[in-house]
Amino acid sequence: MLLFFALGLLIHFVFFASIFDIYFTSPLVHGMTPQFTPLPPPAKRLVLFVADGLRADTLYELDEDGNSRAPFIRNVIMHEGSWGVSHTRVPTESRPGHVALIAGFYEDVSAVAKGWKENPVEFDSLFNESKYTWSWGSPDILPMFAKGASGDHVYTYSYDAQREDFGAHDATKLDTWVFDKVKDFFDAARNNQSLFTKVNEEKVVFFLHLLGIDTNGHAHRPSSREYKDNIKKVDDGVKEIVSIFKHFYGDDGKTAFIFTSDHGMTDWGSHGAGHPSETLTPFVTWGAGIKFPQNVSAQQYDDEFLKEWRLENWKRRDVNQADIAPLMASLIGVPFPLNSVGILPVGYLNNTGLFKAESMFTNAVQILEQFKVKMTQKKEATLPFLFTPFKLLSDSQQLDILRKARSYIKQEKFDEVVSLCEELIDLALRGLSYYHTYDRLFLGINVAVGFVGWMSYTSLLIIKSHSNIPKGTRKEGKKPHCLLLYSFIATGVLVACFLMIQACPWTYYVYCLLPVPIWYAVLREHEVIQDLVESLLTFPRSHFVAYLLVFTLGIEVLVLSFFYRYMLTAGLIVFAGWPFLTQLWTRAKITFLSWAFFSLLLAVFPLMPVVGRKPNLSLVMGAGFLVLLLSLAVVTTLGKRNIKLVKGELLVLLLQMLSTVLSMYVVYSTHHSLLKKEGLPLMNQIVSWATLASSLVAPLLSSTALSQRLASILLSLMSTYLLLSTGYEALFPLVLSCLMFVWIQVEQETLQQPGVSCKQKLTSIQFTCDTDIAQFRQLCPDDIRRAFFLFFCPRRNY
Ligand SMILES: [Zn+2]
Ligand SMILES: [Zn+2]
């Protein structure tokens, strides 16, 4: 049995790891040739401001008095440059956001887990392609671009990590630190000859990472004074830095400025997911090579933002976050970052048609390079007769499009070149994703086969040990299944050879070979399978089909509920009606009515909003009081029934009630101390950890009688859960537990055992090891229904 559990754990670990290995893999390839536009660039230097965690709407909208929070940036939008919304992708975290901005590609999700500051994969970036880059800001962000850069030309200046203390201190200091250091830097450059020559070179980048807004957003939420005042501070700082640049370079008109953010922030101060408040970030750019504001009467965006922001008349151009990298590269004339999948937003360029066309052509060739490398890699690792190339972009098609674009450039049909290149980029990106996910179906099928095998094996084991199948009537002494064993070994060897020829990574062997022993174990039990099928065939055909239909439907609902939470509500409503359909309820009206009541109550939860709500302390307190009432009721009913509670057990119960009260107090006082911005009291921390630790042990000390043990488990569960709750969810485990408790009664009713009163039977259940679970019994459809209820009730995704 122990071996079985160990095996099960191992197999599930492999299945779990396979998710990351199959779906979250790095999209990067290496070995491309750098591509750049062979025309003089408009700018000699680029200044990139990233206001970490700044939402597009908070920057663009006007405050209550109709004034802008960022008057300098708004002035740029109206009189100097171009603007739009930059659309980021999930995960909306700092690292992937900066990688998209500066390297032009979207990191796979696992990169976040692999190492935040470190650079788990080598990638090319704008900084790496630049002649020199100077960067100021957070020690979490800067090193990852300096580390990847070849040579010694990316300089970082960051404060030490301790300064980034959330909460109490003034987070705008993180931003003023950066602005001050930039000022010092240019003061130093005036007096230092070698630095002076360096900053006067072409193709240089200055990167200012401003973490204050993000820190204030986390600590005080984006609607707070702190967050909004921080925007004003950043705006002032940007204004000052721009004037320093003008001064230092003698207003030579060769500096391009970009102001954006890595991700937004939700109303409740978090980011990482895909809510518009997280994915919509501002993008404002001005200076050398950038289009001046365009007054328009109508715009192509049908969201309400333009009206809300009172910017209807200034042309808005949205970009995807990765498009900013090629834009920056073309502004200062460096090769596009090799791994970039960004598409140059030509609308932002204030340049000749030839420059736009050539830049777009470079962009297309650069993305096509990645496609070619990826295809070659896949082709080399696949048997020739199994290789299916990406049909929409064959070698000859690539050549055709490139030749056509070249001839258009000669004929000065620049607009045609741009649209032709966009078409080519689209195809190349689709091809890139085709080859990136090439093995996904194959591996997915293997993992699914393994998983189905494991489920069948465990079901067979359970059926074998807990039911009257297999019937003992079969002849004993059959030959051991040598043939079966040999054929499975042969299959394994064949699979291994197949993988070896294709030079697959070792994980592929695990996924492909795992199903072989599992299915061998399943088929070894063929007698059980035979008997199972036979006993299923004795069932009336129409019943069988009806059951099958109902359960398929039920499982579909379960699957759909992963995408639409309200499907859970639908399922629970059906549960509530179930006793009335089967006429069971006439037997024990109160039990079945309470079953329906709690099912309906539970059905309310999936309809509640998941995120974006304000904390509701009274609900948490209410849940605490209900739990206390419930446990009091348990104690008094036990007293009434003259069931002796051993002193120790009563003490445990009382202590648990006390810990619930303490939890309620901690929630209450923490909430108020946070409102007063006093941080988390030490006492509350100690009590919380103590509650967590004791809740694991306390139920084990309680009485082993069914209802007392269940009440004790509920109590310790609730005291921990209350600590984690901020609103209605505190009531959830309470309702769920009530439903589960009623369910036990309901199942007793359905068992319908004559002679034994249900109550008697229930109270006799003990949480000890001597319960005879291995009773042989008939398989019946109710078993499946029970299993289904068990899965359905607790499933509720956050
Ligand atoms: Zn960030
Ligand atoms: Zn953040």
Side-chain angles (χ1 to χ4, degrees), residues 299-306 316:
Q299 306 222 36
Q300 52 169 332
Y301 301 97
D302 48 12
D303 48 28
E304 290 297 299
F305 290 135
L306 285 167
R316 162 181 161 190

Side-chain angles (χ1 to χ4, degrees), residues 52-53 94 214 262-263:
D52 204 305
S94 292
D214 182 70
D262 55 345
H263 51 76

Side-chain angles (χ1 to χ4, degrees), residues 607-622:
L607 298 176
M608 305 292 251
V610 198
V611 281
R613 54 211 163 73
K614 294 221 162 75
N616 190 338
L617 214 56
S618 49
L619 279 175
V620 184
M621 293 294 133

